[in-house]
Amino acid sequence: MNGAERPGPPGPAEAGGAEGFVRSLVLLRRWAGEPSLSRLRSLGGQTAASDGTMVDALPKSTTSHVLRQGGRLPRWEFVRAFVTACLRSCEHPPELIPGELERWRAARATLAGLAAPTLPGPGEAGPARAEQEATAPARPEPGEAALAPPSPGAGGAAGSEAPRTGTGEPPGSGPPGSGAPGSGAAGLGVGERAATVAVRADGPDPAVELLGKGLLGGYDIAPVSFGPVPHAARPGTPGAAVEDLHTIGRFFGGLRSRRLLVVGESGAGKTVLAIELVLQLLDPALTPGGAPEQPRMVPVRLNAARWTPGRPFERWLAEQLVQDFGLATEDALRLVRDRRVLPVVDGLDELDPEPAAGAPRRAIGLLAELNRYSDLSGRRQGAVVVTCRADRHAELREAGAGLDNATRIHLHDLTAGQIAAYLRARWPDDHPCADHRDGIQEALDGPAGRTVHTALATPWRLLLTVTAVESGGDPHELLRADPHADPRDGAERIARRLLEAYVPAATRLAPRAAHGTPYQPAQVRAWLVRLAAHLRWQAARTAGADRPPPGLTAIDLVPHLLWPIGGWHLVRVLHCLCSVLLAVVAMLAFWTGSAIDDLDGPLAGAGPERLLTLALMTSWVGIVTGLSLSRWPAAAGGRANVPRRRRVTGALLGALAGAPAGVLGGLAGLVLTGGEIFGPAFAVGAGGTGGLTLGAVVGLTAAGRSGTERMTVAEAIRAEPVTLTGFGLCGALTGLAPLRLADAGPLPLAAGVAGAFVLAFALGVVFKIAAGGWSMDAELAHPREALHRNPTTGVAFGLTGGVAAFLVFVMSQDVVESLVCALIGGVTFGLAFGALAWTRTMIGLVVAATRGLLPLRLWAFLDWACEARLLRVSGATYQFRHRELQDFLTGPERVGDR
């Protein structure tokens, strides 16, 4: 059946209830060709959890459960992501997807007993409050959140439809990727969308008002209040006004200096406040005021722990826009130079290890940079927001360091009334845990009430409590305390009890529904302890390095940097042996395919050509060996989120450019060999085929989104001189084979080998510039994306070289043997030479799993841990849900060098 005869996608029109609605979803998936759960998860992108952390919109376990149960109407966020993923899976026309989504939304609203609202236009209100309530998340959570950039492609499909914005205004509900009014910023990261707004000369796009949809999520976030003094003022205290979470935008807008320092205890809600500030500043009605000539600034949240000592702040800020949001370097630098970005630097306290040995020098260094950061006029200090833990702030003050000309606010503890109000909102009277509200209230009102209140006085600790209770914990046991003990000591014991219960509770509340046996709490804890210990090890490594690799911080779990868990020295040795083996196999395949062997053996009657061949092979194996021993192979390769049409166009243009170049190369070989090995027809045909293939692969890889940053030739050569030399050696080997067969003289031999070396070296430079992923500024949509692209790109380039080798092999071998040698050589070349990071990571993972340190299916575990709210995705990294959880799991153990 061709595309014109294909019936349209089934809709929900015939669904007579929740069961029929779910059945329609199953039929839609069947119509789309039964895409796997993994593919649906990939196409569904990411959404924000109730605490702001980015998680998969369509986890495999959740999707499987929803499609099996029929008595409950799925949430709109799930329906939207699922329908979009199915339609994209079968390449349904993108312009028709918004209409299909509207059909499903209207049908769901009707089944929920609501009138289907009209999609809002620019400046109009969004859906009715009743629709929001019908789609509210089942488990709002009060913990800390992270504003990580959503997937810039399909990743925003579901993530942009959360039930509320930071200001409480109802968002729009346009479909992802549509240009219709109300579509918002679906599919774009906050920084990317914000930067787009900042570039516009005619003011902000109204769609930016909808960016807050998926960032905090849920209706019931534990209240966060702040004021100029460390603790909440008692009623009637003069000059100690207390603000709440939803007034932070107005408060910041009233600051003349537009410099704010947020101080609070661990878990007090600093990140929640930072995210809420970003959301409110993206609302034009709440944008900070200023002089009319001042440009509107777009807030972007940044992790302070990623700053490198000695790095100028402006340059670092631009790099974060490039790395996290996929902006071109020139655009990022211009936005920073023109002061169109408001940096919200979260986690100043996470820069230095705990406990700090002396003054926190890294935090002091960043503060010095921020104090040098000026506004556009250069006469005042630049606008910035910084969050810091209270004890680290005290250490900085003792060292004489601070954020100059900044207003300091302190986050206040939750009051007993705020705790009770939150519990009533989370556990209404018909909730299974409603009876436990009384148990917690009794503990707060009992003899040890002060101790219990101290333990529950932050949103993070309150989250620990409700999670433990919802998994079956007894609040009386969790909150028991000695009324005669010091309240702070008793609160610490309660906190340790809550942290101890959190991992088992989260594991039980998010059972693993796919891939067989569910995870056991003891397993999960052991693996998380190992990851936490690795982060402490990373912090120690970073402290002793001038330029650590991107992502090697005290809080970021980067997939291709986890291999040291298997053993620093052991994994590197095994990687070296594996790479040498692959390199030798590649060279043996070339030796066999080019018919260097004869009846007398490879070394018999050794002439200059044979010795030169052996020298080139040995040198290439030596280069591979050296690269395999590098400390931190970079995982990259290929550009992401490029439209298919642009990739096809790039491949065609590359093929058109490569074919004539290949013909010229074939004719040059014909001249150098004197026509002894092949004739003009083979020179034109083989040269054209090889050039066409190489050009198509380069064009396919080089295709990028508009404005994509490119490396210069000089930058490419400086970045990877050894790798490019390896490319040149392989080219020299390929050019040497036909010259040897033709018994070419010394001058043609030298000219041919040198020319082939230069050509292959140049192709290596082109590959490096084209791939873009070899550099550190490749845009990433998921923490594992770079690692997944690394072997794909490496093997693709290896097989491309295999095409050239095949054309050489058929001069002296039959087609089948030539093809086998070219395939083996291309794959092993790609793995040994182009996929160093992937090979190192896989070896490290296998070793760690063999030693019982990590699960073999580590990636599935990390995704599940995010779904269970133990970890979170922040840009291109995984992080622990909260630093207190990470530190608790690490414990007092001293992690030495591996």
Side-chain angles (χ1 to χ4, degrees):
M1 182 179 292
N2 58 38
E5 299 172 345
R6 180 183 176 89
E14 302 301 324
E19 185 174 353
F21 190 87
V22 174
R23 189 182 307 116
S24 297
L25 292 175
V26 175
L27 292 176
L28 177 64
R29 183 188 178 196
R30 189 174 303 164
W31 173 87
E34 291 284 353
S36 66
L37 295 180
S38 297
R39 178 164 175 77
L40 289 175
R41 183 182 68 178
S42 174
L43 293 175
Q46 291 186 317
T47 185
S50 55
D51 66 342
T53 60
M54 303 307 298
V55 297
D56 289 326
L58 297 175
K60 289 187 282 187
S61 58
T62 300
T63 305
S64 176
H65 172 72
V66 171
L67 297 182
R68 287 199 309 267
Q69 60 89 25
R72 185 178 178 184
L73 195 63
R75 291 186 300 159
W76 167 241
E77 290 86 352
F78 174 87
V79 174
R80 180 177 179 173
F82 183 86
V83 172
T84 303
C86 287
L87 295 177
R88 286 175 173 168
S89 177
C90 62
E91 300 182 4
H92 194 66
E95 64 274 9
L96 300 181
I97 294 180
E100 293 297 326
L101 287 171
E102 173 61 14
R103 292 172 59 197
W104 286 90
R105 188 186 62 81
R108 188 197 173 281
T110 301
L111 291 176
L114 307 170
T118 303
L119 285 175
E124 297 178 3
R129 178 70 177 182
E131 169 69 5
Q132 295 181 5
E133 293 174 353
T135 60
R139 295 183 61 231
E141 297 177 0
E144 296 261 358
L147 179 55
S151 172
S160 58
E161 187 64 22
R164 65 178 293 277
T165 65
T167 60
E169 294 296 323
S173 59
S178 74
S183 62
L188 293 176
V190 171
E192 181 178 359
R193 184 64 177 174
T196 303
V197 176
V199 174
R200 289 171 55 98
D202 56 348
D205 189 330
V208 177
E209 300 176 33
L210 310 177
L211 275 172
K213 293 177 179 179
L215 299 180
L216 288 176
Y219 294 102
D220 301 312
I221 298 176
V224 176
S225 57
F226 62 90
V229 294
H231 302 290
R234 295 180 178 179
T237 303
V242 176
E243 304 272 357
D244 64 25
L245 181 69
H246 303 302
T247 64
I248 182 62
R250 185 176 67 240
F251 178 86
F252 182 81
L255 299 179
R256 184 171 183 177
S257 68
R258 296 211 277 189
R259 289 169 68 85
L260 178 66
L261 176 62
V262 181
V263 179
E265 301 293 339
S266 177
K270 297 182 294 297
T271 302
V272 169
L273 189 75
I275 292 176
E276 189 72 25
L277 176 61
V278 168
L279 294 178
Q280 294 184 27
L281 296 186
L282 287 173
D283 187 334
L286 297 175
T287 300
E293 67 274 8
Q294 286 184 335
R296 180 166 182 257
M297 302 180 72
V298 181
V300 176
R301 178 179 167 269
L302 308 163
N303 278 327
R306 295 177 182 171
W307 179 74
T308 303
R311 192 70 168 159
F313 178 73
E314 292 185 41
R315 181 70 188 182
W316 176 78
L317 175 56
E319 289 174 353
Q320 298 308 297
L321 296 178
V322 170
Q323 294 174 8
D324 284 351
F325 304 113
L327 296 180
T329 300
E330 291 182 0
D331 289 340
L333 288 172
R334 178 164 55 86
L335 289 172
V336 174
R337 181 195 64 219
D338 295 343
R339 297 302 187 262
R340 307 301 295 271
V341 175
L342 171 65
V344 180
V345 184
D346 190 20
L348 180 67
D349 50 278
E350 295 178 343
L351 267 167
D352 294 275
E354 294 287 350
R361 61 179 185 85
R362 291 166 62 90
I364 293 173
L366 179 55
L367 285 174
E369 285 293 325
L370 293 175
N371 289 334
R372 283 192 289 267
Y373 181 64
S374 67
D375 67 357
L376 191 60
S377 69
R379 294 177 296 177
R380 293 181 297 272
Q381 290 169 319
V384 67
V385 178
V386 178
T387 71
C388 184
R389 205 174 61 243
D391 56 351
R392 180 51 51 88
H393 176 253
E395 294 175 0
L396 291 169
R397 292 188 65 181
E398 288 182 7
L403 186 64
D404 294 345
N405 198 29
T407 298
R408 184 173 75 245
I409 60 174
H410 296 262
L411 299 186
H412 297 157
D413 292 343
L414 300 177
T415 65
Q418 289 173 326
I419 295 173
Y422 172 77
L423 294 177
R424 282 195 301 271
R426 186 180 181 101
W427 297 335
D429 291 338
D430 58 347
H431 194 278
C433 294
D435 293 341
H436 294 307
R437 292 181 316 197
D438 296 335
I440 296 177
Q441 192 62 49
E442 289 174 6
L444 287 168
D445 297 336
R450 185 180 174 187
T451 299
V452 175
H453 178 259
T454 303
L456 302 186
T458 64
W460 165 244
R461 297 280 181 81
L462 192 54
L463 169 66
L464 296 178
T465 304
V466 297
T467 303
V469 172
E470 287 175 354
S471 70
D474 182 0
H476 295 92
E477 175 61 25
L478 291 169
L479 303 179
R480 59 182 170 81
D482 182 358
H484 304 294
D486 180 83
R488 290 196 172 276
D489 292 340
E492 286 301 315
R493 284 192 286 271
I494 292 176
R496 287 194 295 271
R497 203 177 300 135
L498 294 173
L499 287 166
E500 190 71 40
Y502 183 63
V503 172
T507 304
R508 286 191 291 268
L509 289 173
R512 188 185 181 206
H515 306 305
T517 307
Y519 293 123
Q520 298 301 315
Q523 285 180 314
V524 174
R525 180 185 172 88
W527 295 333
L528 291 177
V529 165
R530 178 51 54 183
L531 292 173
H534 178 69
L535 287 175
R536 177 176 289 184
W537 180 85
Q538 283 191 170
R541 279 274 175 177
T542 303
D546 293 332
R547 295 298 299 272
L552 195 74
T553 71
I555 62 173
D556 292 315
L557 294 167
V558 182
H560 69 270
L561 300 180
L562 296 180
W563 59 265
I565 295 178
W568 173 263
H569 298 294
L570 176 60
V571 172
R572 292 179 71 191
V573 169
L574 292 176
H575 183 205
C576 178
L577 294 176
C578 179
S579 296
V580 170
L581 177 62
L582 290 171
V584 170
V585 170
M587 291 298 98
L588 289 177
F590 183 86
W591 184 283
T592 303
S594 57
I596 295 178
D597 271 326
D598 54 30
L599 297 177
D600 298 323
L603 296 177
E609 299 90 347
R610 187 184 295 271
L611 293 177
L612 179 59
T613 300
L614 288 173
L616 292 175
M617 287 183 170
T618 303
S619 299
W620 187 79
V621 172
I623 286 178
V624 171
T625 303
L627 291 174
S628 68
L629 290 173
S630 60
R631 299 171 71 86
W632 299 108
R639 295 190 176 273
N641 309 304
V642 181
R644 179 175 299 180
R645 183 178 302 176
R646 188 181 293 272
R647 286 204 183 275
V648 172
T649 302
L652 291 176
L653 293 176
L656 291 175
V663 170
L664 292 177
L667 293 176
L670 178 67
V671 172
L672 290 173
T673 58
E676 296 291 333
I677 306 302
F678 52 85
F682 184 87
V684 173
T689 300
L692 185 146
T693 303
L694 290 170
V697 172
V698 171
L700 185 70
T701 311
R705 295 181 292 117
S706 300
T708 303
E709 175 70 6
R710 302 290 183 188
M711 299 181 70
T712 65
V713 173
E715 289 173 339
I717 294 175
R718 285 197 302 268
E720 296 285 349
V722 178
T723 302
L724 296 175
T725 302
F727 267 105
L729 292 178
C730 288
L733 279 169
T734 305
L736 177 61
L739 294 171
R740 181 191 58 78
L741 292 173
D743 292 327
L747 289 180
L749 185 68
V753 171
F757 178 92
V758 172
L759 179 61
F761 189 94
L763 280 175
V765 173
V766 172
F767 282 160
K768 181 174 180 58
I769 296 173
W774 285 15
S775 61
M776 297 302 180
D777 61 356
E779 59 272 24
L780 301 176
H782 190 274
R784 295 197 305 277
E785 186 176 338
L787 191 62
H788 284 169
R789 284 193 260 145
N790 187 240
T792 302
T793 305
V795 173
F797 287 156
L799 291 176
T800 303
V803 172
F806 171 78
L807 297 175
V808 171
F809 295 166
V810 294
M811 298 178 189
S812 55
Q813 303 282 7
D814 59 57
V815 174
V816 175
E817 187 172 357
S818 298
L819 181 61
V820 171
C821 291
L823 284 175
I824 294 175
V827 172
T828 52
F829 171 87
L831 291 177
F833 197 62
L836 291 170
W838 180 84
T839 306
R840 174 81 63 85
T841 303
M842 292 301 104
I843 292 174
L845 178 56
V846 170
V847 173
T850 302
R851 298 173 61 185
L853 303 177
L854 290 176
L856 185 60
R857 295 180 59 89
L858 177 60
W859 314 139
F861 170 72
L862 293 176
D863 289 339
W864 170 87
C866 292
E867 187 179 343
R869 309 296 192 265
L870 294 166
L871 301 178
R872 65 189 182 191
V873 172
S874 179
T877 69
Y878 294 100
Q879 293 177 355
F880 273 87
R881 175 67 178 274
H882 195 276
R883 185 61 184 265
E884 187 179 46
L885 175 63
Q886 175 185 327
D887 293 340
F888 172 77
L889 292 172
T890 306
E893 177 186 0
R894 186 180 183 85
V895 182
D897 183 68
R898 293 179 172 86

